[in-house]
Amino acid sequence: AQSVTQLDSQVPVFEEAPVELRCNYSSSVSVYLFWYVQYPNQGLQLLLKYLSGSTLVKGINGFEAEFNKSQTSFHLRKPSVHISDTAEYFCAVSLIYNFNKFYFGSGTKLNVKP
Amino acid sequence: GAGVSQTPSNKVTEKGKYVELRCDPISGHTALYWYRQSLGQGPEFLIYFQGTGAADDSGLPNDRFFAVRPEGSVSTLKIQRTERGDSAVYLCASSPYRGAYNEQFFGPGTRLTVL
C-alpha cells in the first residue's frame, strides 16, 4: 500500500529565514511526486512536481524540492520565506501506472512570523 | 479564466438525509476528480472521471456514495443516508487530459456538516 508521511504538522519560522518541510513516502513501485499549497479559504494550488529527470525540482514562489529515491523523500525548501508563504502545504504521490489517483499527506501548516 | 467551482460552499444536513454536491470543472477539461478532506487530514481520493465514465471509483467508501457526470462536464457527488462521519470538505479537481503531466486544478471545496 502507498502512504505519504508529513511528520511536522506545524512549522513556525521567522520571516526571511530558510525553511524545509519534510515528506516521506512508502511505495513498492515508482511514483510521481507533488507539492500543493492551500492558502486560507482557497483551493489547493500546485507548487511543483517531479515526474522524471533531474531530482532537483524548482517550483513557483521560490520553492524547490529534491527527490531522494534511496530515502524515499521529497522535502520542500525555500531559502528565505515571506509572510505571504503562510499556508498549509501538502505532499502527494501517484503511481506511475495509475497516475490519476493521488495519495496525500496530512499536511504541514507553515506559520511565518514577522 | 474561471476556475473549478463547487456549490454549495457549505451544506448542513441532518443524519439520514440525502445530499448532492456539485462541481463545475474548467471548460474543456476532460478529467474530473473528487476528494474528501477530513479535519486535520490531507485529501483522500474518491473517484475519477474521464469524460462521462468513472475510470476509477475505488476510493468511494461505501454504496451510500455515488457520483455522475452525464455530459462529461458538470459532476454531482451524491450521498445517501448521511452519517456524522461523512462530515468533511469535499474537493473537486479537473485536468485537461488524464496524465501526470497535466496539473489537477482544485476547486475551493464544499464543507459538509452532518448533525
Side-chain angles (χ1 to χ4, degrees):
Chain A
Q2 291 69 42
S3 67
V4 180
T5 301
Q6 293 181 248
L7 285 173
D8 305 307
S9 59
Q10 296 193 46
V11 172
V13 63
F14 287 105
E15 193 174 19
E16 298 183 6
V19 71
E20 177 180 84
L21 306 183
R22 296 180 294 168
C23 173
N24 289 85
Y25 69 92
S26 172
S27 176
S28 57
V29 299
S30 296
V31 298
Y32 298 128
L33 297 146
F34 307 82
W35 275 98
Y36 277 83
V37 60
Q38 188 172 32
Y39 298 105
N41 301 315
Q42 294 187 29
L44 289 159
Q45 179 183 354
L46 181 67
L47 267 181
L48 49 78
K49 60 186 176 185
Y50 172 79
L51 303 180
S52 64
S54 172
T55 56
L56 183 62
V57 179
K58 293 189 183 298
I60 61 172
N61 301 338
F63 283 93
E64 64 181 31
E66 186 158 18
F67 170 49
N68 187 318
K69 188 174 183 179
S70 63
Q71 297 187 4
T72 61
S73 67
F74 191 54
H75 301 331
L76 181 70
R77 302 186 183 99
K78 186 169 183 178
S80 176
V81 295
H82 303 289
I83 296 287
S84 60
D85 293 323
T86 295
E88 189 158 21
Y89 293 79
F90 292 92
C91 180
V93 305
S94 66
L95 308 182
I96 61 171
Y97 65 82
N98 188 10
F99 40 70
N100 290 289
K101 187 173 180 177
F102 280 23
Y103 299 86
F104 282 86
S106 55
T108 297
K109 291 182 180 176
L110 178 65
N111 183 15
V112 182
K113 304 176 180 181
Chain B
V4 178
S5 63
Q6 294 186 244
T7 54
S9 56
N10 280 284
K11 176 70 176 178
V12 180
T13 190
E14 294 179 345
K15 180 175 178 295
K17 299 290 188 180
Y18 168 82
V19 296
E20 290 189 352
L21 311 180
R22 176 187 169 105
C23 172
D24 279 89
I26 294 172
S27 178
H29 281 194
T30 59
L32 185 145
Y33 313 80
W34 283 99
Y35 294 83
R36 178 170 67 175
Q37 187 174 13
S38 301
L39 192 63
Q41 300 297 317
E44 175 189 13
F45 173 85
L46 295 177
I47 187 170
Y48 150 63
F49 287 91
Q50 181 60 39
T52 60
D56 185 346
D57 64 358
S58 62
L60 294 177
N62 52 60
D63 60 6
R64 295 187 297 106
F65 288 74
F66 190 71
V68 295
R69 196 185 184 200
E71 298 179 357
S73 178
V74 171
S75 176
T76 304
L77 179 66
K78 308 180 181 192
I79 309 174
Q80 298 177 322
R81 304 183 304 281
T82 53
E83 300 178 355
R84 293 193 179 88
D86 299 334
S87 296
V89 177
Y90 289 82
L91 301 171
C92 177
S94 69
S95 66
Y97 185 68
R98 67 175 185 170
Y101 294 92
N102 289 298
E103 175 183 348
Q104 291 189 20
F105 295 82
F106 282 80
T110 293
R111 183 176 297 278
L112 175 66
T113 303
V114 182
L115 302 178

